[in-house]
Amino acid sequence: MTPVAQGATKAARLVGGMTLLELLVVLALVALLGTLIAQGLGFFLARYDTVQRVARDAGQAGLQQHWFASSVEGMVPYRQLERQFTGDAATFAGITTQPLAAESGMPVRARWMIEDDGVASHVLYQEDAAPTNDGALRWTVLRTPDAVAFQYAGQDGTWLDAWPAREAGERIPRMVRLVGPAGVIWLARFDLFPEPVTNYSEF
């Protein structure tokens, strides 16, 4: 075969397509690239789901904190014994002008409670339609596996485990907080009367 004929044969082979080995190499590269893309997409979706979940949890935690702070900020001292602010480690109650279900501005007795079912602690909010529990509206605001408790800041800033109205002289605390093993979960200040004061009806 002449050199011209050999060149023509090689050119024809090149134009004709790839060899089997070349095809296998290309397929292996495509498969590797597809695997890398699939892994990267899976990692991205997992990260995105985590970000979404964290954002959702943060939004829910912010709403719970706002719910707690809003009802506490509107609480006022009261002279009538059955309407005075009282509190212990498991519950506190008082008259608030910022109820969450009733009409805003209307004085309503609001109560925050902690109930333990042996598996988790449930923090509940309740608005009473009357001094008794008849007609009360009640919601579960927080569920946590940890043991939690309420605490109250006195006039000198000391945190107390209870705030009995009789001994407090018709006063309300400076602040109230919900605490757990890791520290403070919620914190709220009594805005209308930052310092404990005697009931305004005495003046």
Side-chain angles (χ1 to χ4, degrees):
M1 184 177 295
T2 64
V4 175
Q6 290 180 354
T9 303
K10 291 181 180 179
R13 188 166 54 244
L14 290 175
V15 173
M18 298 181 296
T19 64
L20 179 59
L21 179 60
E22 291 171 336
L23 183 61
L24 291 175
V25 170
V26 170
L27 290 177
L29 291 175
V30 170
L32 179 61
L33 183 60
T35 301
L36 293 176
I37 291 175
Q39 289 180 346
L41 182 61
F43 177 79
F44 171 78
L45 292 177
R47 295 297 94 191
Y48 179 77
D49 183 64
T50 300
V51 170
Q52 289 288 91
R53 185 176 66 255
V54 170
R56 187 169 53 250
D57 293 345
Q60 182 178 2
L63 181 61
Q64 293 167 337
Q65 166 70 21
H66 176 73
W67 193 340
F68 180 74
S70 177
S71 67
V72 169
E73 288 169 0
M75 286 188 174
V76 296
Y78 226 89
R79 184 170 185 175
Q80 296 178 4
L81 181 61
E82 67 274 9
R83 296 170 72 88
Q84 289 178 3
F85 180 91
T86 58
D88 55 30
T91 183
F92 70 87
I95 301 299
T96 182
T97 57
Q98 297 184 37
L100 302 178
E103 184 178 350
S104 180
M106 295 295 294
V108 174
R109 186 167 183 81
R111 184 188 311 272
W112 284 90
M113 300 159 288
I114 300 171
E115 294 183 355
D116 190 346
D117 61 6
V119 177
S121 296
H122 302 264
V123 181
L124 305 103
Y125 172 81
Q126 174 180 300
E127 289 180 5
D128 296 344
T132 65
N133 286 337
D134 297 333
L137 301 174
R138 183 170 171 172
W139 298 270
T140 299
V141 182
L142 175 68
R143 182 181 185 276
T144 173
D146 301 321
V148 294
F150 293 118
Q151 293 181 341
Y152 312 89
Q155 189 171 8
D156 59 356
T158 303
W159 286 98
L160 310 170
D161 293 328
W163 190 267
R166 293 176 183 273
E167 299 176 13
E170 302 173 15
R171 299 170 183 266
I172 58 177
R174 292 178 58 191
M175 292 178 287
V176 60
R177 66 185 182 183
L178 177 69
V179 297
V184 178
I185 301 173
W186 294 340
L187 176 67
R189 185 181 182 92
F190 294 81
D191 272 3
L192 187 58
F193 296 94
E195 300 292 334
V197 295
T198 304
N199 187 287
Y200 58 85
S201 62
E202 292 186 350
F203 296 100

